[in-house]
Amino acid sequence: MFRRRSASAATDSSSTESASPEATEATQPKGYTPKKGVPTPKRKESGKDLRRPVQAPQTRKEAYRAYRERLDRQKGQPARRSGVPQGEERYFREQDMGKPRAFARNYVDSRRSASEFFLPFSILIIALLFVNNPVFQVGVAYVAWPLMMVTLVAEGIFTARKVKSTAAAHFPDDPKVAGAGMYAAMRQLQFRRLRLPKPTVKVGDDPTAGLR
């Protein structure tokens, strides 16, 4: 009698232990979250890993060196901002550096083009569209505007090819030659006074002067 009861009890306990977690979770009410097995760390404990130790100067010499470096960085910021308009190459952006890019700027700055008046001409076209004259509006929208766009595209292609071929002849081994044509075409769309770096040649000057 006792042997049969103990055997059935052992069978029930083993079946309970072997029950799958999915079946157990299915019997739980909605919104039940199973235990992780590990307690959630407190904010103070979890924030310890995010904190980085600050390396404070150990000697007076190291503190003075850090102070001088901080002053140099603060002085370098206004110098960098003022160096680009003045034409100091050490303050240029990466895309402005190199002799091919300097030649592209000089080529664009040494001649007048219709592309540099793109912005004011666009504003003029928009203003003319408000004229209460259907025939005039059609002429502006379907003649003046397309003519301006064709002129800009044609002039940009001509400038890009001319600059790239001339730069390749003068600087054959310079990798900056590859994008010099597009660089010149984009610069040509800007006002002369608003171009950065500032023009270093006058209209009519030789664009290759000083680059040989």
Side-chain angles (χ1 to χ4, degrees), residues 20-94:
S20 60
E22 291 80 1
T24 304
E25 293 178 2
T27 59
Q28 298 295 337
K30 187 176 180 180
Y32 170 77
T33 303
K35 295 183 179 181
K36 302 177 182 178
V38 179
T40 303
K42 296 181 180 179
R43 179 178 296 180
K44 185 182 298 183
E45 297 176 355
S46 61
K48 292 181 180 179
D49 297 335
L50 302 177
R51 298 174 184 173
R52 297 181 179 178
V54 179
Q55 298 293 338
Q58 301 297 328
T59 61
R60 177 181 292 184
K61 187 176 182 179
E62 293 179 359
Y64 181 75
R65 186 187 301 114
Y67 172 74
R68 294 297 303 175
E69 291 177 356
R70 186 168 64 253
L71 287 182
D72 293 340
R73 287 195 300 268
Q74 293 175 356
K75 291 179 180 179
Q77 292 176 357
R80 183 176 296 274
R81 289 194 295 267
S82 62
V84 174
Q86 294 175 2
E88 299 180 24
E89 189 170 357
R90 59 177 177 167
Y91 297 122
F92 285 177
R93 300 172 301 174
E94 179 64 25

Side-chain angles (χ1 to χ4, degrees), residues 144-198:
W145 179 259
L147 183 62
M148 182 191 70
M149 297 305 297
V150 170
T151 302
L152 294 180
V153 172
E155 195 173 42
I157 294 174
F158 173 79
T159 300
R161 290 183 175 180
K162 181 67 174 179
V163 167
K164 188 173 182 178
S165 60
T166 308
H170 284 81
F171 320 104
D173 300 328
D174 199 315
K176 291 283 188 177
V177 174
M182 182 60 65
Y183 178 81
M186 296 305 296
R187 183 178 177 86
Q188 192 172 237
L189 293 172
Q190 304 172 4
F191 272 130
R192 181 181 176 88
R193 294 184 179 181
L194 301 180
R195 292 170 182 169
L196 289 177
K198 289 292 186 181

